[in-house]
Amino acid sequence: MRAENSAIQSPSIAVAQPVGTLRAAPAIRSTAGPEAARGPENSPAPGPSAGRSGTVLAGLGVVAFSLTFPATAWGLESFGPWSLVALRSVLAALIAGSALLAARVALPDRRHWAGLAVVGGGVVVGFPLLTTLALRTSTTSHAAVVVGLLPLTTAVLGSLRTGERPSRMFWTAALAGAAVVIAFTVRESGGALTSGDLYLFGALLVCAAGYTEGGRLARSMPGWHVVGWALVLCLPLAVAGSLVALPLEPVHLNAHGVLGLVWVAAGSTFYGLYVWYRGMAAIGVARASQLQLAQPLLTLAWSFLLLGEEMSAAAPVAAVAVLVCIAATQRAGRGAARESRRIRS
């Protein structure tokens, strides 16, 4: 901004600026502000190496998230649902705050705080609370397949919020993956929704909103800053919730409960969101969101290995079908990125 302002005020200084800066000057005169100049449509398309690393980072986030429900089930062995969510947020915020202080990260710009509040309300408070309440009556495997609709929900909100325009092939594959998840859910539940499904559907909406806003913010600030400041923003609410919930809900500490709490705080909430938002910033909200089609099936495997829950014969079939859909969405995303780079060049 300072370079463009100097170009406007002093012709002698403007001559020394790069040609690209002089051409950008008329756009800067508008009142849209710097955020408009950095919008999704003006962001350079990621190169092949950035796309691969972004896919790996988003994939690591999916693996971390896939352990959330089994870890929450463990945590509920020691804590009540409200206490678990509050303590989870407190521990994650302390980790994030310590990292921000150690790195001497400056406070975000004022224009980012509203978006950070959406991230905090969606993925730090809303999703953990609603899914934890659902797990009181639902199995982790059932909750996992219902939340399998999250990729499609995130892709839709991401398209509306960030201006991404995935191809028809992408939407076809995404809808096919969602259809597989829905069919699997209906089959496993016997055709009837459980009482916890309302909590889970609410969790879908708030989490998709948080993912979308976090992915947008991660384009203008490091992904771990997005996670860190969203957690710190929720710390006062989390502390208040802990002080209220802990005296009201019984606490029975055991190894499973402590390990579950530690994972949902450090693994799912901090590390998972850190790599997830970095990945979304590199490959886009819609494309990254489709990697989460694998999350329900990973959770099913963890539920079998860690909790001893039975896995139906349909799970492997659904796994193969969903993986095919993921491959199709990623291929469509890479094709769109190559075409974008060709046009810009």
Side-chain angles (χ1 to χ4, degrees):
M1 285 294 296
R2 285 194 296 268
E4 281 81 3
N5 290 337
S6 298
I8 294 171
Q9 294 170 3
S10 175
S12 61
I13 296 177
V15 173
Q17 301 302 316
V19 175
T21 304
L22 290 174
R23 291 177 179 175
I28 302 300
R29 292 192 186 111
S30 70
T31 59
E35 198 68 43
R38 269 201 308 266
E41 65 277 9
N42 295 323
S43 301
S49 61
R52 285 191 294 270
S53 63
T55 300
V56 170
L57 288 170
L60 289 174
V62 170
V63 173
F65 296 152
S66 71
L67 280 160
T68 300
F69 285 173
T72 299
W74 274 4
L76 288 172
E77 294 181 14
S78 294
F79 305 96
W82 295 89
S83 300
L84 180 61
V85 172
L87 290 173
R88 163 185 179 165
S89 299
V90 169
L91 292 178
L94 291 177
I95 295 171
S98 299
L100 291 170
L101 285 175
R104 297 182 179 181
V105 177
L107 289 172
D109 292 341
R110 184 179 299 178
R111 68 180 186 275
H112 293 322
W113 282 109
L116 290 170
V118 174
V119 175
V123 302
V124 178
V125 177
F127 184 79
L129 178 59
L130 292 171
T131 54
T132 301
L133 292 173
L135 286 174
R136 293 181 305 170
T137 56
S138 298
T139 63
T140 58
S141 56
H142 179 82
V145 291
V146 173
V147 175
L149 293 174
L150 181 58
L152 181 60
T153 309
T154 303
V156 171
L157 291 183
S159 179
L160 294 173
R161 182 69 178 94
T162 67
E164 293 181 11
R165 294 294 180 266
S167 66
R168 289 183 180 180
M169 177 182 174
F170 176 94
W171 285 118
T172 300
L175 289 170
V180 170
V181 171
I182 292 173
F184 184 68
T185 303
V186 172
R187 183 185 185 280
E188 292 296 296
S189 63
L193 296 178
T194 66
S195 59
D197 285 333
L198 290 178
Y199 287 127
L200 293 173
F201 288 134
L204 286 176
L205 294 176
V206 298
C207 189
Y211 281 169
T212 300
E213 197 64 22
R216 186 187 67 82
L217 289 173
R219 293 178 173 181
S220 56
M221 58 193 298
W224 78 275
H225 291 189
V226 176
V227 178
W229 289 118
L231 287 166
V232 170
L233 186 63
C234 294
L235 181 58
L237 180 62
V239 170
S242 300
L243 294 176
V244 173
L246 283 173
L248 299 177
E249 295 180 332
V251 176
H252 305 288
L253 293 180
N254 59 34
H256 278 178
V258 174
L259 285 174
L261 173 61
V262 170
W263 177 258
V264 294
S268 300
T269 306
F270 183 72
Y271 172 76
L273 290 174
Y274 163 64
V275 293
W276 176 246
Y277 283 138
R278 284 194 61 185
M280 278 202 297
I283 64 177
V285 174
R287 185 177 164 194
S289 70
Q290 297 314 296
L291 292 173
Q292 282 195 306
L293 285 169
Q295 184 174 323
L297 303 161
L298 288 172
T299 300
L300 288 175
W302 294 125
S303 299
F304 174 77
L305 295 173
L306 299 178
L307 304 178
E309 292 186 1
E310 295 184 1
M311 183 182 299
S312 69
V317 177
V320 173
V322 168
L323 289 176
V324 169
C325 294
I326 291 175
T329 59
Q330 297 307 297
R331 182 176 180 180
R334 287 192 294 269
R338 286 195 296 269
E339 180 65 16
S340 178
R341 288 194 300 271
R342 186 188 66 80
I343 294 174
R344 291 173 186 272
S345 62

